[in-house]
Amino acid sequence: MMSTEASAVALQDCAALWSVGEAPASDVVDAACDALVAGLDTPGLRILAACTRAEAACDVLDLLPPALGELGLVFYPFGSPEGVEPAARALARRVLAGRSAPWNLTFWSHKRGGSELPLLQRLAELDEQYTLLECSGRTVDEVDAEVTAMARRLAARP
């Protein structure tokens, strides 16, 4: 079972990913359920966790802000630029945990058009390195190692 701290981070990460369109609302409900199982318990979290998959798409937008607020977590409105860096940190943690390939992080950064955040700009540039491996003389492992190092720095940002 996850600790309450780890489940709070997982819920925050999932909410950030949802805010940029990278996680479905049903994943937010699943993260809320996991948080309850781990021992976090607030009225808003219980209501959010009680959503069915069918209700999630419509109800998460209204239920997520109070649930996160009760836990002292941050809500990023759907589509807001404020959610980009937290979503990038969430994706970086997935890479570091082995739940996602490094190129997924670079592809996402490239798809987002980089950002004002220099780490995301560099990750977007590294996405092109995967495409140009034969021309650049680099190996997948070399690019993966650089992406993983950047993921560590990104995940460590406050």
Side-chain angles (χ1 to χ4, degrees):
M1 178 165 67
M2 254 195 285
S3 70
T4 55
E5 184 177 320
S7 67
V9 169
L11 178 60
Q12 180 72 78
D13 282 355
C14 192
L17 290 169
W18 170 83
S19 78
V20 297
E22 290 297 319
S26 59
D27 284 2
V28 175
V29 172
D30 290 344
C33 291
D34 291 343
L36 278 173
V37 169
L40 294 176
D41 190 7
T42 67
L45 186 62
R46 279 186 247 133
I47 293 168
L48 179 61
C51 283
T52 65
R53 289 188 179 277
E55 295 167 335
C58 296
D59 293 346
V60 162
L61 182 62
D62 294 327
L63 298 176
L64 187 57
L68 292 177
E70 291 168 356
L71 294 168
L73 302 175
V74 180
F75 172 73
Y76 302 100
F78 191 84
S80 70
E82 294 83 18
V84 172
E85 184 177 343
R89 284 193 308 268
L91 291 171
R93 281 191 277 278
R94 286 183 177 183
V95 168
L96 296 173
R99 294 191 329 250
S100 182
W103 66 265
N104 284 325
L105 179 57
T106 64
F107 178 77
W108 180 82
S109 297
H110 199 181
K111 182 174 73 170
R112 300 277 322 162
S115 171
E116 289 78 41
L117 185 63
L119 284 174
L120 290 185
Q121 289 175 353
R122 180 63 184 139
L123 285 167
E125 292 167 4
L126 284 170
D127 187 53
E128 294 175 10
Q129 291 293 312
Y130 284 111
T131 307
L132 303 171
L133 285 173
E134 291 179 18
C135 301
S136 69
R138 296 184 78 185
T139 67
V140 170
D141 290 341
E142 290 171 334
V143 179
D144 281 354
E146 188 172 348
V147 173
T148 301
M150 296 195 75
R152 278 191 202 94
R153 288 196 302 257
L154 186 56
R157 288 178 64 91

